[in-house]
Amino acid sequence: MEVIRGEWMTIPIGNAQIFRISSRVRTALCSTWAVTLARTDRLRTVDLRHPKPCAPPLKSPTLKSPGLSAFRAHSATLTGFDMMQRRAGRRMKLVLALGALGTLVGAGGARAAEPAVKAAAPVPALMWNGFYAGGHFGTGNASYGPGTNPMPSQGEFLPGSVTGLIGGFQVGFSHRTQSGIVLGAEAEATFPSPEDHARLTPAPFNSAIDYVGTLRGRIGADFQGVMPYATAGLAWGHSHININAPDGGDPVAAPGGYHAGWTAGLGIEWALEGDWSVRAEYDHVELAGRHFDLSEHGLGFVTVTPRLDLVKAGLNYHFATAGILPVKATPILPESDNWNIHAQTTLQPQFYGPIRSPYASPLSIPGGGETRQTWTATAFLGVRLWQGAEFYFNGETAQGFGINGTQGIAGFPSGEAQKAGADYPRIRAQRYYLKQTFGFGGGEEEVADGPNQLAGKRDIDRITVILGRFAIGDFFDNNAYAHDPRADFSNWALWEAGAYDFPADLPGYTRGAMVELNRKAWAVRAALVQLPAAPNSDVLSSKGGAGVIEFEERHSLAQQPGKLRLGAFLNNGNTASYRETLAQFTALPDADINALTDLNRRLRPKYGFYANLEQQIMTDVGLFARLSWNDGRTESLSFSDIDRSLSGGLSIKGSFWGRPEDTIGIGGAVNGLTTSHRAFLAAGGFGLVIGDGALNYRPERALEAYYAYAVNRNLTLTADYQLITNPAYNADRGPASIFSGRLHAEF
């Protein structure tokens, strides 16, 4: 007799005198579940074994014992091996979802139960026994005491507040008593969203909370899978004060400190599906005051006393406890492929040594070298709403900075480095969009389960409409070999068309609509989206706007597949003209050219095109190439300071040396500027990410090579090297050899 999943599985039944033996016939193996009853003096158990295939199915008998009426009825539901496999796979998804710090939402498999032969009491929700972990997302508000000038945080699709959107994670343990009381303990960390500068009232300083942690007890009552509860315990946090620059620039100082206090709250949790539960919770947090001496800045003493009110929705995964199979009451959602959850986390440190640097500005990479790191964690939730309609939501936590705060190189060496860096994790709702697909035949194709993709089938001939918040790169300028800085090339000019100033806020996302017409051999797609209010602004504006259209052709060369994408774009944003600014600077040589740039901004067009080729040469070997151009007359708004770019390279899978999941990549890029753009930088002008205060112009060149080592199907370690010649187009500085490692995990 074959034993499944770790030999024996034992389900405590207590002193039950009625047992239901359920049988499941697997279609593929026509095998049947057999049950052996073993009895001890104090405990009756059910042991599961998997018999040989093709045994005749068993009926579901009822075993009775004397004194039936004196005992309460119990039932044990036995599940199939196929469901166990699926549940084990979904446990793996949890590992990354916990790193998403508050962006967690989940899926799982519910156990299907056969109808009982005899009427029985409902199955208790044993899922409340044992360890659990999960995440939360929500909103809140706070006060820090009189005269503290709280910094507002972004609310995204919710009203802005002092905390803005919040998110975090929790881990805990709970125990359900026989009477249905649930006791437990939980640790939690919660982070706010980034600062909302659009709502900031000018002040000499602003105070802000960086995070809140709690260690709490919980007490609740189990009502067949629904558990209202109360919680209270210790709290702590960290705050800081921004000493604002008189000219409105970056803060001149940001002293910070820790606080201790208490928290209390109420919540309700439901058994969701499989080993998952969903909850809603309100918490009040009070932290002790901390005194900040700002006298060296002429501001005296300030006392920050945080008081926070937080409303959160959360999701937990419950780990099976030894001896207890987490059988539960009827879940509020049936097992379904109509929703999914995926997650990723990426940690990338980068460093370079001393370089030649006869002069520099705040936007120049430091001459003495530097080490920086970035970390992101993202959860991807998808839900099928109705026929052809899907909704996707991605919450993301990001922390860290690129080299020199993601400044100093036009083709920047880290695609994970956001311009909105932060010392402490910050939570954002990066994507939320509705996707509607209209099928028109032409055959069907399978759609695999994945991030922002629900499994199923779709017509090859179709129209797809996207409405909401997304990244332009989600749908445009794609390339199988160079498009994902978490998995392949890191340099901006290699994974993206460098001269395409794609519309985006600081982390790289926009709002708008996209429409795609797909046929078997080609596709055409177009989008109308918002632009940031000004260069490097984190605020998307309704003034102006941007459009992009792309044609995708699919072909075969020497029986090897390939794709060619041709795109054109037009941005109408709040930018300055290089020639007009230079003319004003010539007339006013004592003026600050960057101040003149600010005064010169108004709605102006920027247009350009890109060509993108991916071509498989042979199995597991492919090449890519990109060519992009823009008019270069006005400032860039979102991406980088590149007016012309040419890039290309090779991607080779490790099947040639016995590691088919590994990848080697090698590529290069050459970036250039228009004449007026060069003159602007030479006069001391600052761009989005570059500006050395002077310029000895040469094209900026980048060479990148990486090896991605697949530890397993979920974890990849990458070693990356880049040589940047003429960083920021300046032959007087560099070259820079940049080394990085990348740890990337996804589920």
Side-chain angles (χ1 to χ4, degrees):
M1 184 175 290
E2 177 189 0
V3 178
I4 64 165
R5 280 190 62 84
E7 302 176 356
W8 292 91
M9 290 189 301
T10 301
I11 308 174
I13 306 297
N15 292 320
Q17 298 298 307
I18 296 181
F19 297 89
R20 183 187 70 204
I21 304 173
S22 68
S23 64
R24 291 179 67 88
V25 179
R26 296 185 65 199
T27 303
L29 299 177
C30 57
S31 58
T32 308
W33 294 102
V35 177
T36 301
L37 297 184
R39 185 168 186 173
T40 66
D41 292 337
R42 302 183 62 185
L43 181 67
R44 185 177 291 249
T45 64
V46 177
D47 292 325
L48 284 70
R49 285 191 175 188
H50 189 233
K52 294 180 179 180
C54 299
L58 299 177
K59 295 182 179 180
S60 299
T62 301
L63 304 184
K64 297 185 180 180
S65 64
L68 171 63
S69 59
F71 298 93
R72 187 176 61 175
H74 290 257
S75 64
T77 302
L78 310 182
T79 62
F81 183 52
D82 53 343
M83 188 63 70
M84 294 177 188
Q85 287 179 311
R86 182 171 183 177
R87 287 165 51 77
R90 285 189 171 174
R91 287 190 184 97
M92 295 292 290
K93 292 183 182 178
L94 174 68
V95 178
L96 256 298
L98 298 184
L101 298 177
T103 60
L104 193 65
V105 282
R111 288 179 166 80
E114 296 179 350
V117 176
K118 293 272 187 178
V123 180
L126 296 179
M127 71 181 300
W128 306 129
N129 279 325
F131 290 96
Y132 63 89
H136 57 271
F137 197 83
T139 187
N141 210 343
S143 64
Y144 302 143
T148 54
N149 301 325
M151 171 75 72
S153 297
Q154 296 177 16
E156 192 58 44
F157 48 80
L158 297 173
S161 65
V162 174
T163 61
L165 294 179
I166 58 170
F169 65 91
Q170 65 272 350
V171 295
F173 180 86
S174 60
H175 173 70
R176 181 187 185 278
T177 66
Q178 299 232 350
S179 63
I181 300 299
V182 180
L183 304 174
E186 181 177 290
E188 181 183 86
T190 299
F191 305 96
S193 56
E195 300 168 351
D196 189 348
H197 293 283
R199 298 176 52 248
L200 182 63
T201 301
F205 67 91
N206 293 98
S207 55
I209 195 79
D210 295 312
Y211 71 87
V212 172
T214 63
L215 181 60
R216 305 174 292 166
R218 292 207 309 168
I219 182 170
D222 175 26
F223 296 98
Q224 296 302 313
V226 179
M227 183 183 68
Y229 62 89
T231 180
L234 302 176
W236 63 94
H238 187 276
S239 69
H240 73 273
I241 293 179
N242 285 342
I243 311 300
N244 297 322
D247 61 358
D250 293 335
V252 298
Y258 293 92
H259 306 256
W262 60 271
T263 181
L266 297 171
I268 185 169
E269 193 162 358
W270 296 267
L272 181 63
E273 179 192 327
D275 296 322
W276 297 89
S277 65
V278 64
R279 73 184 190 183
E281 183 176 294
Y282 162 77
D283 292 313
H284 177 74
V285 180
E286 292 203 9
L287 301 178
R290 184 175 184 88
H291 305 291
F292 292 91
D293 183 2
L294 308 182
S295 56
E296 64 177 297
H297 303 287
L299 299 173
F301 285 86
V302 175
T303 300
V304 176
T305 309
R307 301 285 188 268
L308 298 93
D309 293 286
L310 309 176
V311 179
K312 301 171 288 187
L315 198 95
N316 287 324
Y317 179 88
H318 297 260
F319 300 93
T321 304
I324 299 178
L325 191 68
V327 182
K328 60 184 67 64
T330 303
I332 61 174
L333 288 179
E335 181 190 346
S336 173
D337 289 329
N338 288 332
W339 63 311
N340 68 3
I341 179 173
H342 290 267
Q344 77 81 31
T345 187
T346 304
L347 175 67
Q348 185 173 30
Q350 282 194 326
F351 73 93
Y352 70 98
I355 64 169
R356 181 166 51 93
S357 179
Y359 52 87
S361 81
L363 269 64
S364 305
I365 58 173
E370 191 176 55
T371 299
R372 289 295 184 105
Q373 65 81 30
T374 58
W375 172 72
T376 61
T378 317
F380 308 88
L381 171 67
V383 180
R384 184 171 284 114
L385 302 178
W386 56 79
Q387 180 66 35
E390 300 159 11
F391 178 77
Y392 294 98
F393 176 83
N394 299 170
E396 183 170 272
T397 300
Q399 179 273 333
F401 298 88
I403 290 171
N404 194 40
T406 318
Q407 298 174 135
I409 302 173
F412 199 78
S414 173
E416 274 289 272
Q418 300 179 2
K419 297 175 184 176
D423 290 310
Y424 292 91
R426 289 291 181 264
I427 192 78
R428 286 180 184 259
Q430 300 291 42
R431 296 181 182 90
Y432 46 88
Y433 61 83
L434 176 68
K435 177 181 179 180
Q436 178 69 58
T437 303
F438 303 95
F440 298 102
E444 287 187 329
E445 61 184 12
E446 294 286 342
V447 179
D449 179 81
N452 295 332
Q453 186 168 282
L454 292 168
K457 294 183 178 181
R458 64 188 178 192
D459 287 355
I460 294 176
D461 295 346
R462 62 185 181 273
I463 292 177
T464 303
V465 180
I466 303 288
L467 182 64
R469 176 176 167 88
F470 50 84
I472 285 292
D474 293 343
F475 310 110
F476 296 86
D477 195 29
N478 201 350
N479 194 292
Y481 306 114
H483 192 60
D484 186 355
R486 292 168 175 165
D488 48 64
F489 292 94
S490 291
N491 192 284
W492 288 11
L494 285 171
W495 58 260
E496 184 70 24
Y500 177 22
D501 186 26
F502 63 85
D505 55 14
L506 291 182
Y509 298 83
T510 185
R511 292 187 292 260
M514 191 280 297
V515 179
E516 177 188 75
L517 170 62
N518 187 83
R519 302 296 296 271
K520 185 175 183 179
W522 56 270
V524 62
R525 55 189 67 95
L528 292 174
V529 297
Q530 291 180 309
L531 285 167
N536 272 344
S537 172
D538 206 20
V539 178
L540 295 173
S541 174
S542 57
K543 296 180 180 179
V548 57
I549 186 169
E550 179 182 276
F551 174 76
E552 176 182 311
E553 177 267 344
R554 301 154 190 156
H555 61 261
S556 178
L557 293 178
Q559 299 183 336
Q560 300 296 328
K563 295 179 181 179
L564 175 65
R565 300 175 178 90
L566 302 175
F569 60 90
L570 173 65
N571 298 341
N572 187 31
N574 182 29
T575 59
S577 162
Y578 294 130
R579 288 184 178 179
E580 290 183 16
T581 302
L582 286 167
Q584 294 170 0
F585 183 63
T586 301
L588 301 168
D590 294 330
D592 181 349
I593 190 171
N594 292 298
L596 294 175
T597 302
D598 293 341
L599 295 174
N600 189 252
R601 285 177 182 149
R602 61 176 183 270
L603 288 181
R604 301 176 188 270
K606 178 188 282 288
Y607 58 89
F609 70 85
Y610 61 86
N612 174 334
L613 172 69
E614 65 176 72
Q615 180 64 54
Q616 182 172 296
I617 301 172
M618 57 187 296
T619 301
D620 290 340
V621 179
L623 65 81
F624 70 93
R626 283 187 173 95
L627 172 68
S628 56
W629 176 94
N630 69 58
D631 60 17
R633 299 174 181 175
T634 59
E635 295 177 287
S636 295
L637 271 168
S638 307
F639 187 41
S640 191
D641 301 282
I642 302 174
D643 300 328
R644 289 93 172 88
S645 182
L646 175 65
S647 65
L650 287 172
S651 176
I652 305 171
K653 301 297 289 185
S655 57
F656 299 99
W657 55 94
R659 292 199 52 84
E661 300 304 317
D662 292 3
T663 307
I664 284 181
I666 183 168
V670 180
N671 305 317
L673 299 176
T674 61
T675 302
S676 59
H677 197 165
R678 301 174 203 175
F680 174 76
L681 294 174
F686 290 162
L688 289 179
V689 297
I690 64 171
D692 294 330
L695 182 64
N696 180 12
Y697 177 79
R698 295 290 188 281
E700 183 183 87
R701 295 182 173 89
L703 172 68
E704 179 175 4
Y706 73 88
Y707 186 96
Y709 178 85
V711 179
N712 54 44
R713 61 179 294 183
N714 303 113
L715 178 64
T716 302
L717 300 177
T718 301
D720 185 281
Y721 169 75
Q722 296 180 55
L723 175 64
I724 310 296
T725 305
N726 307 323
Y729 308 98
N730 200 338
D732 291 341
R733 308 186 76 249
S737 288
I738 300 174
F739 300 86
S740 64
R742 183 173 61 204
L743 184 152
H744 174 71
E746 59 184 28
F747 293 87

